[in-house]
Amino acid sequence: MNRPATTHSPTFSPLYQQIRALITRSLESGEWKPGDIIPSESELAERFGVSQGTVRKAIDELANENLLVRRQGKGTFVSTHDDPRSFFRFLRLASNEGELLRLQSIPLECWRAKAGADVARTLALEPGAPINIVRRLMKFGDEPAVFDEIYLPGELFPDLSLDILNSVAVSMYSLFESRYAVRIIRAEERLRAVSADRVSAELLQVAEGSPLLLVERVTYTYDSKPVEWRRGFYSTQNFYYHNELG
């Protein structure tokens, strides 16, 4: 079988993992952009010189990791943060009443700075490298729920500003994807209890010293490259952190 000169066929097992890596490489290079349909399993099998079953197993893994989305009768698509169904993938806050409330994201501040030791270490930057710092408030209905402090590599988001954040009616991750070609594919979080300081208490409309949940999140793009460090202060008065395991 003839193979395209630009395609490197895998030479070792397990074969499906190498096919997975080749498909991921095409996603990372932008060959298939968020929202695009990818070639069929038979086309990919011919391209890589393997069986359709091997391709299917590789695609199944990528779908389980939310990099691809299978749509019955339509094909397999590159997942995108523009899909409303993806919004709550990284937001685990729920109302005590179990209601689906309208979510508002309110940018408060955005400025350029130099990375201190903690930010540099977390985002794999050199100390003093340019970063963007964003502060925002998230509300469910009319009630403040989360106060976020967000640190971003300046090189990836060179023109990010409060005006840009206020001009789009999409999630921040959708903005990162569409404007800066930065695709968030996974996140790691650490949770601990803290007391509300003056700033977080004022923004979340709770008494200073009230218990808050601090959720520290590092998000990654391809090749496990960190692109965001987020410190979210969650109100625990009428909300709780919800996560499904298994």
Side-chain angles (χ1 to χ4, degrees):
M1 180 181 296
N2 293 327
R3 302 189 183 96
T6 56
T7 298
H8 300 284
S9 181
T11 58
F12 58 91
S13 60
L15 203 51
Y16 79 92
Q17 289 187 356
Q18 182 65 6
I19 297 303
R20 178 189 179 283
L22 292 171
I23 295 173
T24 301
R25 188 182 304 166
S26 292
L27 295 172
E28 183 178 4
S29 70
E31 178 181 351
W32 309 313
K33 294 178 171 54
D36 285 353
I37 188 171
I38 70 169
S40 67
E41 290 177 1
S42 60
E43 290 171 321
L44 290 172
E46 182 175 0
R47 169 174 172 167
F48 298 126
V50 298
S51 70
Q52 283 187 234
T54 298
V55 170
R56 187 175 301 115
K57 190 170 183 179
I59 290 177
D60 285 343
E61 279 209 348
L62 292 169
N64 288 337
E65 295 172 11
N66 296 300
L67 294 181
L68 297 176
V69 178
R70 292 187 183 275
R71 294 179 184 163
Q72 188 68 32
K74 295 183 179 180
T76 302
F77 294 77
V78 183
S79 61
T80 172
H81 290 289
D82 277 340
D83 187 342
R85 291 170 295 183
S86 73
F87 189 84
F88 286 91
R89 178 183 167 198
F90 295 107
L91 182 61
R92 303 294 185 178
L93 200 64
S95 166
N96 289 344
E97 306 301 323
E99 301 174 73
L100 287 176
L101 301 173
R102 180 173 56 93
L103 179 66
Q104 299 180 67
S105 175
I106 306 170
L108 303 173
E109 299 178 89
C110 179
W111 72 94
R112 298 278 282 189
K114 294 182 179 180
D118 288 346
V119 176
R121 181 178 62 255
T122 303
L123 295 179
L125 301 172
E126 292 293 327
I131 59 171
N132 297 299
I133 303 176
V134 176
R135 287 182 171 177
R136 74 161 180 181
L137 184 65
M138 298 182 69
K139 290 184 174 182
F140 278 96
D142 295 322
E143 186 171 0
V146 184
F147 167 49
D148 280 326
E149 294 182 339
I150 302 167
Y151 304 87
L152 305 163
E155 183 180 5
L156 295 179
F157 307 95
D159 67 339
L160 187 66
S161 67
L162 190 59
D163 285 342
I164 289 173
L165 291 170
N166 278 315
S167 68
V168 294
V170 295
S171 71
M172 285 189 65
Y173 290 168
S174 181
L175 173 67
F176 294 170
E177 181 180 276
S178 61
R179 187 181 180 94
Y180 301 101
V182 175
R183 169 79 181 144
I184 304 297
I185 63 173
R186 70 179 183 90
E188 295 178 357
E189 290 187 337
R190 295 188 302 178
L191 286 70
R192 60 190 173 94
V194 296
S195 298
D197 62 12
R198 181 183 59 81
V199 173
S200 58
E202 182 177 338
L203 289 169
L204 294 173
Q205 297 178 13
V206 298
E208 192 169 341
S210 296
L212 301 177
L213 186 64
L214 172 59
V215 180
E216 294 190 80
R217 176 193 301 171
V218 181
T219 57
Y220 299 85
T221 188
Y222 299 102
D223 290 331
S224 293
K225 180 179 180 180
V227 294
E228 175 202 40
W229 180 27
R230 179 180 302 210
R231 302 176 75 243
F233 296 87
Y234 286 52
S235 171
T236 57
Q237 287 194 141
N238 297 309
F239 305 97
Y240 63 93
Y241 188 90
H242 173 75
N243 196 17
E244 292 185 8
L245 304 176

